[in-house]
PDB file of all heavy atoms in Angstrom:
ATOM      1  N   PHE A 287     149.157  94.844 203.291  1.00  0.00           N
ATOM      2  CA  PHE A 287     149.843  93.545 203.259  1.00  0.00           C
ATOM      3  C   PHE A 287     151.171  93.523 202.430  1.00  0.00           C
ATOM      4  O   PHE A 287     152.075  92.876 202.749  1.00  0.00           O
ATOM      5  CB  PHE A 287     148.901  92.503 202.776  1.00  0.00           C
ATOM      6  CG  PHE A 287     147.672  92.325 203.685  1.00  0.00           C
ATOM      7  CD1 PHE A 287     146.483  92.944 203.345  1.00  0.00           C
ATOM      8  CD2 PHE A 287     147.733  91.663 204.856  1.00  0.00           C
ATOM      9  CE1 PHE A 287     145.343  92.816 204.138  1.00  0.00           C
ATOM     10  CE2 PHE A 287     146.691  91.581 205.705  1.00  0.00           C
ATOM     11  CZ  PHE A 287     145.465  92.104 205.335  1.00  0.00           C
ATOM     12  N   LYS A 288     151.177  94.378 201.379  1.00  0.00           N
ATOM     13  CA  LYS A 288     152.412  94.437 200.549  1.00  0.00           C
ATOM     14  C   LYS A 288     153.491  95.023 201.448  1.00  0.00           C
ATOM     15  O   LYS A 288     154.629  94.612 201.444  1.00  0.00           O
ATOM     16  CB  LYS A 288     152.099  95.359 199.322  1.00  0.00           C
ATOM     17  CG  LYS A 288     151.298  94.751 198.312  1.00  0.00           C
ATOM     18  CD  LYS A 288     151.042  95.829 197.157  1.00  0.00           C
ATOM     19  CE  LYS A 288     150.083  95.219 196.177  1.00  0.00           C
ATOM     20  NZ  LYS A 288     149.889  96.351 195.067  1.00  0.00           N
ATOM     21  N   THR A 289     153.153  96.078 202.240  1.00  0.00           N
ATOM     22  CA  THR A 289     154.117  96.716 203.115  1.00  0.00           C
ATOM     23  C   THR A 289     154.554  95.640 204.199  1.00  0.00           C
ATOM     24  O   THR A 289     155.758  95.503 204.510  1.00  0.00           O
ATOM     25  CB  THR A 289     153.580  97.909 203.796  1.00  0.00           C
ATOM     26  OG1 THR A 289     153.073  98.835 202.842  1.00  0.00           O
ATOM     27  CG2 THR A 289     154.559  98.571 204.751  1.00  0.00           C
ATOM     28  N   LEU A 290     153.608  94.993 204.776  1.00  0.00           N
ATOM     29  CA  LEU A 290     153.996  93.947 205.896  1.00  0.00           C
ATOM     30  C   LEU A 290     154.922  92.886 205.285  1.00  0.00           C
ATOM     31  O   LEU A 290     155.641  92.298 206.103  1.00  0.00           O
ATOM     32  CB  LEU A 290     152.741  93.367 206.418  1.00  0.00           C
ATOM     33  CG  LEU A 290     151.826  94.293 207.315  1.00  0.00           C
ATOM     34  CD1 LEU A 290     150.537  93.563 207.687  1.00  0.00           C
ATOM     35  CD2 LEU A 290     152.571  94.856 208.480  1.00  0.00           C
ATOM     36  N   ALA A 291     154.772  92.628 204.013  1.00  0.00           N
ATOM     37  CA  ALA A 291     155.691  91.617 203.408  1.00  0.00           C
ATOM     38  C   ALA A 291     157.134  91.858 203.541  1.00  0.00           C
ATOM     39  O   ALA A 291     157.993  91.024 203.393  1.00  0.00           O
ATOM     40  CB  ALA A 291     155.304  91.329 201.975  1.00  0.00           C
ATOM     41  N   SER A 292     157.486  93.182 203.858  1.00  0.00           N
ATOM     42  CA  SER A 292     158.905  93.462 203.976  1.00  0.00           C
ATOM     43  C   SER A 292     159.491  92.803 205.242  1.00  0.00           C
ATOM     44  O   SER A 292     160.672  92.716 205.447  1.00  0.00           O
ATOM     45  CB  SER A 292     159.125  95.018 204.036  1.00  0.00           C
ATOM     46  OG  SER A 292     158.582  95.536 205.227  1.00  0.00           O
ATOM     47  N   ASN A 293     158.645  92.467 206.197  1.00  0.00           N
ATOM     48  CA  ASN A 293     158.919  91.685 207.425  1.00  0.00           C
ATOM     49  C   ASN A 293     158.132  90.502 207.625  1.00  0.00           C
ATOM     50  O   ASN A 293     156.980  90.620 208.139  1.00  0.00           O
ATOM     51  CB  ASN A 293     158.917  92.584 208.650  1.00  0.00           C
ATOM     52  CG  ASN A 293     159.493  91.906 209.911  1.00  0.00           C
ATOM     53  OD1 ASN A 293     159.367  90.747 210.039  1.00  0.00           O
ATOM     54  ND2 ASN A 293     160.067  92.810 210.784  1.00  0.00           N
ATOM     55  N   PRO A 294     158.522  89.312 207.005  1.00  0.00           N
ATOM     56  CA  PRO A 294     157.571  88.146 206.958  1.00  0.00           C
ATOM     57  C   PRO A 294     157.014  87.813 208.420  1.00  0.00           C
ATOM     58  O   PRO A 294     156.010  87.275 208.476  1.00  0.00           O
ATOM     59  CB  PRO A 294     158.517  87.081 206.375  1.00  0.00           C
ATOM     60  CG  PRO A 294     159.395  87.859 205.521  1.00  0.00           C
ATOM     61  CD  PRO A 294     159.729  89.082 206.284  1.00  0.00           C
ATOM     62  N   THR A 295     157.800  87.973 209.422  1.00  0.00           N
ATOM     63  CA  THR A 295     157.427  87.632 210.720  1.00  0.00           C
ATOM     64  C   THR A 295     156.312  88.538 211.229  1.00  0.00           C
ATOM     65  O   THR A 295     155.285  88.083 211.754  1.00  0.00           O
ATOM     66  CB  THR A 295     158.582  87.801 211.772  1.00  0.00           C
ATOM     67  OG1 THR A 295     159.708  86.862 211.376  1.00  0.00           O
ATOM     68  CG2 THR A 295     158.116  87.372 213.149  1.00  0.00           C
ATOM     69  N   VAL A 296     156.285  89.810 210.981  1.00  0.00           N
ATOM     70  CA  VAL A 296     155.257  90.713 211.261  1.00  0.00           C
ATOM     71  C   VAL A 296     154.031  90.413 210.378  1.00  0.00           C
ATOM     72  O   VAL A 296     152.898  90.344 210.861  1.00  0.00           O
ATOM     73  CB  VAL A 296     155.675  92.288 211.113  1.00  0.00           C
ATOM     74  CG1 VAL A 296     154.422  93.164 211.227  1.00  0.00           C
ATOM     75  CG2 VAL A 296     156.773  92.584 212.080  1.00  0.00           C
ATOM     76  N   LEU A 297     154.203  90.098 209.170  1.00  0.00           N
ATOM     77  CA  LEU A 297     153.079  89.632 208.316  1.00  0.00           C
ATOM     78  C   LEU A 297     152.450  88.386 208.885  1.00  0.00           C
ATOM     79  O   LEU A 297     151.182  88.366 209.022  1.00  0.00           O
ATOM     80  CB  LEU A 297     153.582  89.456 206.865  1.00  0.00           C
ATOM     81  CG  LEU A 297     152.477  88.879 205.890  1.00  0.00           C
ATOM     82  CD1 LEU A 297     151.398  89.847 205.749  1.00  0.00           C
ATOM     83  CD2 LEU A 297     153.135  88.522 204.533  1.00  0.00           C
ATOM     84  N   ASP A 298     153.200  87.486 209.329  1.00  0.00           N
ATOM     85  CA  ASP A 298     152.715  86.260 209.894  1.00  0.00           C
ATOM     86  C   ASP A 298     151.903  86.521 211.160  1.00  0.00           C
ATOM     87  O   ASP A 298     150.893  85.937 211.490  1.00  0.00           O
ATOM     88  CB  ASP A 298     153.814  85.220 210.183  1.00  0.00           C
ATOM     89  CG  ASP A 298     153.320  83.912 210.666  1.00  0.00           C
ATOM     90  OD1 ASP A 298     152.419  83.358 209.956  1.00  0.00           O
ATOM     91  OD2 ASP A 298     153.798  83.438 211.735  1.00  0.00           O
ATOM     92  N   ILE A 299     152.501  87.442 212.085  1.00  0.00           N
ATOM     93  CA  ILE A 299     151.816  87.710 213.264  1.00  0.00           C
ATOM     94  C   ILE A 299     150.450  88.388 212.986  1.00  0.00           C
ATOM     95  O   ILE A 299     149.472  88.002 213.586  1.00  0.00           O
ATOM     96  CB  ILE A 299     152.611  88.790 214.099  1.00  0.00           C
ATOM     97  CG1 ILE A 299     153.840  88.076 214.711  1.00  0.00           C
ATOM     98  CG2 ILE A 299     151.870  89.409 215.183  1.00  0.00           C
ATOM     99  CD1 ILE A 299     154.923  89.003 215.244  1.00  0.00           C
ATOM    100  N   VAL A 300     150.365  89.243 212.112  1.00  0.00           N
ATOM    101  CA  VAL A 300     149.132  89.929 211.780  1.00  0.00           C
ATOM    102  C   VAL A 300     148.120  88.939 211.166  1.00  0.00           C
ATOM    103  O   VAL A 300     146.947  88.890 211.570  1.00  0.00           O
ATOM    104  CB  VAL A 300     149.308  91.169 210.766  1.00  0.00           C
ATOM    105  CG1 VAL A 300     147.969  91.687 210.181  1.00  0.00           C
ATOM    106  CG2 VAL A 300     150.035  92.256 211.435  1.00  0.00           C
ATOM    107  N   MET A 301     148.547  88.068 210.307  1.00  0.00           N
ATOM    108  CA  MET A 301     147.763  87.023 209.705  1.00  0.00           C
ATOM    109  C   MET A 301     147.196  86.056 210.743  1.00  0.00           C
ATOM    110  O   MET A 301     146.081  85.633 210.699  1.00  0.00           O
ATOM    111  CB  MET A 301     148.362  86.438 208.475  1.00  0.00           C
ATOM    112  CG  MET A 301     148.691  87.417 207.367  1.00  0.00           C
ATOM    113  SD  MET A 301     147.233  88.390 206.900  1.00  0.00           S
ATOM    114  CE  MET A 301     146.176  87.098 206.203  1.00  0.00           C
ATOM    115  N   THR A 302     148.105  85.731 211.591  1.00  0.00           N
ATOM    116  CA  THR A 302     147.752  84.759 212.687  1.00  0.00           C
ATOM    117  C   THR A 302     146.702  85.300 213.597  1.00  0.00           C
ATOM    118  O   THR A 302     145.763  84.617 213.943  1.00  0.00           O
ATOM    119  CB  THR A 302     149.037  84.345 213.464  1.00  0.00           C
ATOM    120  OG1 THR A 302     149.892  83.681 212.531  1.00  0.00           O
ATOM    121  CG2 THR A 302     148.646  83.355 214.616  1.00  0.00           C
ATOM    122  N   LEU A 303     146.901  86.590 213.928  1.00  0.00           N
ATOM    123  CA  LEU A 303     145.887  87.332 214.762  1.00  0.00           C
ATOM    124  C   LEU A 303     144.503  87.373 214.007  1.00  0.00           C
ATOM    125  O   LEU A 303     143.450  86.991 214.620  1.00  0.00           O
ATOM    126  CB  LEU A 303     146.260  88.702 215.123  1.00  0.00           C
ATOM    127  CG  LEU A 303     147.254  88.860 216.218  1.00  0.00           C
ATOM    128  CD1 LEU A 303     147.778  90.348 216.263  1.00  0.00           C
ATOM    129  CD2 LEU A 303     146.691  88.488 217.512  1.00  0.00           C
ATOM    130  N   ASN A 304     144.619  87.645 212.734  1.00  0.00           N
ATOM    131  CA  ASN A 304     143.338  87.646 211.985  1.00  0.00           C
ATOM    132  C   ASN A 304     142.642  86.327 211.865  1.00  0.00           C
ATOM    133  O   ASN A 304     141.411  86.217 212.143  1.00  0.00           O
ATOM    134  CB  ASN A 304     143.612  88.108 210.506  1.00  0.00           C
ATOM    135  CG  ASN A 304     143.879  89.615 210.417  1.00  0.00           C
ATOM    136  OD1 ASN A 304     143.396  90.440 211.183  1.00  0.00           O
ATOM    137  ND2 ASN A 304     144.461  90.050 209.311  1.00  0.00           N
ATOM    138  N   SER A 305     143.408  85.352 211.711  1.00  0.00           N
ATOM    139  CA  SER A 305     142.917  83.959 211.570  1.00  0.00           C
ATOM    140  C   SER A 305     142.318  83.460 212.933  1.00  0.00           C
ATOM    141  O   SER A 305     141.163  82.965 213.101  1.00  0.00           O
ATOM    142  CB  SER A 305     144.027  82.972 211.198  1.00  0.00           C
ATOM    143  OG  SER A 305     143.598  81.647 211.266  1.00  0.00           O
ATOM    144  N   LYS A 306     143.063  83.598 213.959  1.00  0.00           N
ATOM    145  CA  LYS A 306     142.654  83.118 215.326  1.00  0.00           C
ATOM    146  C   LYS A 306     141.428  83.894 215.848  1.00  0.00           C
ATOM    147  O   LYS A 306     140.538  83.361 216.528  1.00  0.00           O
ATOM    148  CB  LYS A 306     143.816  83.178 216.348  1.00  0.00           C
ATOM    149  CG  LYS A 306     144.981  82.294 215.991  1.00  0.00           C
ATOM    150  CD  LYS A 306     144.616  80.856 216.260  1.00  0.00           C
ATOM    151  CE  LYS A 306     145.891  79.990 216.004  1.00  0.00           C
ATOM    152  NZ  LYS A 306     145.590  78.569 216.142  1.00  0.00           N
ATOM    153  N   SER A 307     141.503  85.200 215.626  1.00  0.00           N
ATOM    154  CA  SER A 307     140.383  86.073 216.188  1.00  0.00           C
ATOM    155  C   SER A 307     139.120  85.869 215.413  1.00  0.00           C
ATOM    156  O   SER A 307     138.009  86.219 216.030  1.00  0.00           O
ATOM    157  CB  SER A 307     140.847  87.543 216.119  1.00  0.00           C
ATOM    158  OG  SER A 307     140.912  87.973 214.858  1.00  0.00           O
ATOM    159  N   SER A 308     139.047  85.144 214.281  1.00  0.00           N
ATOM    160  CA  SER A 308     137.831  84.924 213.566  1.00  0.00           C
ATOM    161  C   SER A 308     136.903  84.055 214.361  1.00  0.00           C
ATOM    162  O   SER A 308     135.696  83.965 214.060  1.00  0.00           O
ATOM    163  CB  SER A 308     138.103  84.460 212.201  1.00  0.00           C
ATOM    164  OG  SER A 308     138.596  83.127 212.214  1.00  0.00           O
ATOM    165  N   ALA A 309     137.380  83.320 215.277  1.00  0.00           N
ATOM    166  CA  ALA A 309     136.570  82.374 216.150  1.00  0.00           C
ATOM    167  C   ALA A 309     136.069  82.972 217.482  1.00  0.00           C
ATOM    168  O   ALA A 309     135.399  82.331 218.134  1.00  0.00           O
ATOM    169  CB  ALA A 309     137.443  81.161 216.375  1.00  0.00           C
ATOM    170  N   VAL A 310     136.466  84.176 217.788  1.00  0.00           N
ATOM    171  CA  VAL A 310     136.230  84.595 219.165  1.00  0.00           C
ATOM    172  C   VAL A 310     134.764  85.296 219.296  1.00  0.00           C
ATOM    173  O   VAL A 310     134.201  85.197 220.408  1.00  0.00           O
ATOM    174  CB  VAL A 310     137.290  85.602 219.767  1.00  0.00           C
ATOM    175  CG1 VAL A 310     138.579  84.825 219.887  1.00  0.00           C
ATOM    176  CG2 VAL A 310     137.412  86.854 219.012  1.00  0.00           C
ATOM    177  N   LEU A 311     134.363  85.934 218.353  1.00  0.00           N
ATOM    178  CA  LEU A 311     132.975  86.582 218.361  1.00  0.00           C
ATOM    179  C   LEU A 311     132.456  86.465 216.886  1.00  0.00           C
ATOM    180  O   LEU A 311     133.217  86.244 215.941  1.00  0.00           O
ATOM    181  CB  LEU A 311     133.003  88.076 218.790  1.00  0.00           C
ATOM    182  CG  LEU A 311     133.384  88.328 220.196  1.00  0.00           C
ATOM    183  CD1 LEU A 311     133.759  89.809 220.462  1.00  0.00           C
ATOM    184  CD2 LEU A 311     132.463  87.851 221.246  1.00  0.00           C
ATOM    185  N   ASP A 312     131.138  86.651 216.764  1.00  0.00           N
ATOM    186  CA  ASP A 312     130.539  86.635 215.401  1.00  0.00           C
ATOM    187  C   ASP A 312     131.143  87.699 214.527  1.00  0.00           C
ATOM    188  O   ASP A 312     131.634  88.783 214.982  1.00  0.00           O
ATOM    189  CB  ASP A 312     128.986  86.689 215.467  1.00  0.00           C
ATOM    190  CG  ASP A 312     128.593  88.060 215.919  1.00  0.00           C
ATOM    191  OD1 ASP A 312     128.497  88.283 217.190  1.00  0.00           O
ATOM    192  OD2 ASP A 312     128.276  88.875 215.111  1.00  0.00           O
ATOM    193  N   ALA A 313     130.990  87.523 213.203  1.00  0.00           N
ATOM    194  CA  ALA A 313     131.608  88.359 212.165  1.00  0.00           C
ATOM    195  C   ALA A 313     131.116  89.814 212.265  1.00  0.00           C
ATOM    196  O   ALA A 313     131.973  90.739 212.253  1.00  0.00           O
ATOM    197  CB  ALA A 313     131.410  87.901 210.808  1.00  0.00           C
ATOM    198  N   LYS A 314     129.874  90.055 212.448  1.00  0.00           N
ATOM    199  CA  LYS A 314     129.386  91.440 212.550  1.00  0.00           C
ATOM    200  C   LYS A 314     129.892  92.136 213.780  1.00  0.00           C
ATOM    201  O   LYS A 314     130.213  93.374 213.701  1.00  0.00           O
ATOM    202  CB  LYS A 314     127.801  91.510 212.441  1.00  0.00           C
ATOM    203  CG  LYS A 314     127.323  91.271 211.044  1.00  0.00           C
ATOM    204  CD  LYS A 314     125.802  91.506 210.889  1.00  0.00           C
ATOM    205  CE  LYS A 314     125.389  91.256 209.488  1.00  0.00           C
ATOM    206  NZ  LYS A 314     123.999  91.492 209.311  1.00  0.00           N
ATOM    207  N   THR A 315     130.022  91.440 214.886  1.00  0.00           N
ATOM    208  CA  THR A 315     130.501  92.065 216.115  1.00  0.00           C
ATOM    209  C   THR A 315     132.031  92.389 215.803  1.00  0.00           C
ATOM    210  O   THR A 315     132.477  93.443 216.256  1.00  0.00           O
ATOM    211  CB  THR A 315     130.362  91.146 217.330  1.00  0.00           C
ATOM    212  OG1 THR A 315     128.967  90.893 217.427  1.00  0.00           O
ATOM    213  CG2 THR A 315     130.907  91.798 218.576  1.00  0.00           C
ATOM    214  N   ARG A 316     132.807  91.556 215.193  1.00  0.00           N
ATOM    215  CA  ARG A 316     134.172  91.804 214.927  1.00  0.00           C
ATOM    216  C   ARG A 316     134.320  93.007 213.945  1.00  0.00           C
ATOM    217  O   ARG A 316     135.140  93.880 214.178  1.00  0.00           O
ATOM    218  CB  ARG A 316     134.803  90.568 214.378  1.00  0.00           C
ATOM    219  CG  ARG A 316     135.003  89.427 215.306  1.00  0.00           C
ATOM    220  CD  ARG A 316     135.904  88.299 214.758  1.00  0.00           C
ATOM    221  NE  ARG A 316     135.735  87.944 213.377  1.00  0.00           N
ATOM    222  CZ  ARG A 316     134.909  86.992 212.931  1.00  0.00           C
ATOM    223  NH1 ARG A 316     134.155  86.342 213.702  1.00  0.00           N
ATOM    224  NH2 ARG A 316     134.794  86.814 211.635  1.00  0.00           N
ATOM    225  N   HIS A 317     133.548  93.042 212.984  1.00  0.00           N
ATOM    226  CA  HIS A 317     133.498  94.184 212.062  1.00  0.00           C
ATOM    227  C   HIS A 317     133.185  95.467 212.824  1.00  0.00           C
ATOM    228  O   HIS A 317     133.802  96.522 212.577  1.00  0.00           O
ATOM    229  CB  HIS A 317     132.522  94.002 210.887  1.00  0.00           C
ATOM    230  CG  HIS A 317     133.043  92.996 209.832  1.00  0.00           C
ATOM    231  ND1 HIS A 317     134.151  93.146 209.144  1.00  0.00           N
ATOM    232  CD2 HIS A 317     132.364  91.853 209.511  1.00  0.00           C
ATOM    233  CE1 HIS A 317     134.293  92.085 208.321  1.00  0.00           C
ATOM    234  NE2 HIS A 317     133.252  91.270 208.504  1.00  0.00           N
ATOM    235  N   THR A 318     132.216  95.445 213.667  1.00  0.00           N
ATOM    236  CA  THR A 318     131.754  96.602 214.443  1.00  0.00           C
ATOM    237  C   THR A 318     132.835  97.101 215.321  1.00  0.00           C
ATOM    238  O   THR A 318     133.166  98.302 215.355  1.00  0.00           O
ATOM    239  CB  THR A 318     130.548  96.233 215.217  1.00  0.00           C
ATOM    240  OG1 THR A 318     129.531  95.852 214.382  1.00  0.00           O
ATOM    241  CG2 THR A 318     130.079  97.445 216.144  1.00  0.00           C
ATOM    242  N   ILE A 319     133.592  96.171 215.974  1.00  0.00           N
ATOM    243  CA  ILE A 319     134.667  96.544 216.838  1.00  0.00           C
ATOM    244  C   ILE A 319     135.814  97.160 215.985  1.00  0.00           C
ATOM    245  O   ILE A 319     136.445  98.197 216.393  1.00  0.00           O
ATOM    246  CB  ILE A 319     135.187  95.373 217.690  1.00  0.00           C
ATOM    247  CG1 ILE A 319     134.117  95.011 218.665  1.00  0.00           C
ATOM    248  CG2 ILE A 319     136.538  95.641 218.354  1.00  0.00           C
ATOM    249  CD1 ILE A 319     134.376  93.591 219.393  1.00  0.00           C
ATOM    250  N   ALA A 320     136.144  96.554 214.817  1.00  0.00           N
ATOM    251  CA  ALA A 320     137.203  97.034 213.913  1.00  0.00           C
ATOM    252  C   ALA A 320     136.918  98.521 213.557  1.00  0.00           C
ATOM    253  O   ALA A 320     137.764  99.336 213.530  1.00  0.00           O
ATOM    254  CB  ALA A 320     137.297  96.137 212.718  1.00  0.00           C
ATOM    255  N   LEU A 321     135.677  98.797 213.221  1.00  0.00           N
ATOM    256  CA  LEU A 321     135.243 100.111 212.725  1.00  0.00           C
ATOM    257  C   LEU A 321     135.431 101.035 213.886  1.00  0.00           C
ATOM    258  O   LEU A 321     135.888 102.231 213.672  1.00  0.00           O
ATOM    259  CB  LEU A 321     133.849 100.140 212.172  1.00  0.00           C
ATOM    260  CG  LEU A 321     133.777  99.456 210.738  1.00  0.00           C
ATOM    261  CD1 LEU A 321     132.441  99.011 210.372  1.00  0.00           C
ATOM    262  CD2 LEU A 321     134.357 100.367 209.666  1.00  0.00           C
TER     263      LEU A 321
END
Side-chain angles (χ1 to χ4, degrees):
F287 297 102
K288 290 177 186 176
T289 302
L290 292 175
S292 70
N293 187 326
T295 302
V296 173
L297 176 62
D298 185 56
I299 289 167
V300 169
M301 296 309 294
T302 299
L303 281 171
N304 284 338
S305 173
K306 297 286 185 183
S307 68
S308 68
V310 299
L311 294 169
D312 67 274
K314 284 189 177 180
T315 301
R316 292 191 318 271
H317 287 300
T318 299
I319 292 167
L321 289 160

